[in-house]
Amino acid sequence: YEIKECDWSSDVCSSDLDGIYNFTTSSPSVATITNINSTSININIEQISWTTNVNSDTNVTYGLTTALGSEVYSTTPVISHSINITGLISNTLYYYNISSSTGTNTTYNGTFNFTTANIVISGIIETKSYFNFTIDWNTNGLTNSTLEYGLTMGLGDEESSASLVSSHSLSAINLTQDTLYYYKITSCDAGSCISSAILNITTNKEDIPENLQVVEYTNNWVKLSWTGEEDFINTTIQYSIDNSSW
């Protein structure tokens, strides 16, 4: 800026001989919070975001009641704030409060609330053989795994894993070939469970060759033929000079 001296009676101004001066405006010392939002990342994680007009830190206190009690924070000064709350219970109401501090002043805003998402089972895949089957599935968060199965819709047998995962795989073994089995899968976190409908699967049938006969032979080879109820995936022939060993 420049300073001038003016004589208003003559409307004549003269400039300050010392030249041009300058100054720097100071930043606001108090953060103004706007655009508060909560987003479910999955059943166990909620993301809280907001913006401020000045660089400030990020803090969220939260809990199952308005007394709150837990806290997540970042000390990095930013204008666009985003922080994840982890380890939550599915399908549960939580309360939260946010704050941003410039170092000298802290702005609080709240109390708000969100409800975490429900558990969702997806991508069920069946894999079977003669004497066992495996069920794979996914959940939208970390849950345990249970596979119930049996010869009737009452089920009765069970395989389970307490590991908290989002990709699940359990097997039923030592079954009977060519047999219809019913099954149900269940996944739980600390707060709730979800189960599939009762589904069914039939184990593979071991196809035994029939009508075995010698078609041709010479002194060093033999040609065999046989039939089966289904197409054979592969064929293994065991032979020896007697039937004591193969």
Side-chain angles (χ1 to χ4, degrees):
Y1 65 94
E2 182 182 40
I3 300 176
K4 290 184 177 183
E5 186 179 77
C6 297
D7 183 350
W8 296 112
S9 63
S10 61
D11 198 23
V12 176
C13 295
S14 60
S15 299
D16 187 345
L17 297 179
D18 288 336
I20 305 299
Y21 303 90
N22 63 73
F23 61 89
T24 301
T25 57
S26 61
S27 298
S29 59
V30 178
T32 300
I33 294 175
T34 55
N35 301 321
I36 302 166
N37 190 46
S38 64
T39 304
S40 292
I41 303 302
N42 60 40
I43 61 172
N44 311 115
I45 301 175
E46 191 80 10
Q47 185 179 83
I48 310 298
S49 61
W50 67 93
T51 58
T52 52
N53 59 323
V54 293
N55 287 321
S56 51
D57 65 14
T58 303
N59 184 282
V60 176
T61 53
Y62 66 97
L64 294 172
T65 70
T66 53
L68 307 177
S70 299
E71 181 182 37
V72 290
Y73 61 90
S74 170
T75 58
T76 303
V78 293
I79 291 176
S80 296
H81 303 258
S82 179
I83 195 164
N84 289 345
I85 306 174
T86 61
L88 303 177
I89 301 170
S90 65
N91 194 30
T92 301
L93 175 65
Y94 284 86
Y95 298 90
Y96 71 97
N97 188 0
I98 64 174
S99 64
S100 287
S101 174
T102 60
T104 56
N105 292 283
T106 301
T107 301
Y108 293 92
N109 209 324
T111 298
F112 307 96
N113 65 74
F114 61 82
T115 298
T116 49
N118 284 310
I119 303 171
V120 176
I121 288 176
S122 63
I124 299 174
I125 298 176
E126 301 175 344
T127 306
K128 62 180 181 176
S129 65
Y130 303 121
F131 307 109
N132 60 70
F133 65 82
T134 299
I135 308 299
D136 296 280
W137 72 96
N138 299 317
T139 52
N140 57 335
L142 301 178
T143 59
N144 62 20
S145 314
T146 300
L147 168 64
E148 299 174 81
Y149 64 95
L151 295 172
T152 70
M153 295 185 71
L155 307 177
D157 293 305
E158 180 180 303
E159 299 293 333
S160 64
S161 171
S163 299
L164 298 177
V165 295
S166 58
S167 296
H168 308 258
S169 183
L170 288 174
S171 298
I173 61 175
N174 298 324
L175 306 178
T176 304
Q177 64 166 315
D178 192 28
T179 301
L180 176 67
Y181 286 87
Y182 296 91
Y183 74 90
K184 180 177 71 173
I185 55 176
T186 301
S187 288
C188 303
D189 68 357
S192 61
C193 296
I194 189 170
S195 298
S196 69
I198 295 179
L199 308 171
N200 64 75
I201 187 172
T202 300
T203 51
N204 292 343
K205 179 180 180 181
E206 189 173 22
D207 198 0
I208 300 175
E210 298 176 345
N211 304 316
L212 178 64
Q213 56 183 315
V214 176
V215 178
E216 285 182 70
Y217 68 91
T218 67
N219 61 345
N220 58 10
W221 61 267
V222 63
K223 182 178 180 180
L224 306 174
S225 70
W226 64 89
T227 60
E229 293 184 7
E230 301 179 9
D231 292 336
F232 292 105
I233 298 175
N234 54 59
T235 301
T236 300
I237 298 176
Q238 295 175 292
Y239 61 93
S240 70
I241 58 174
D242 56 49
N243 61 5
S244 61
S245 61
W246 300 99

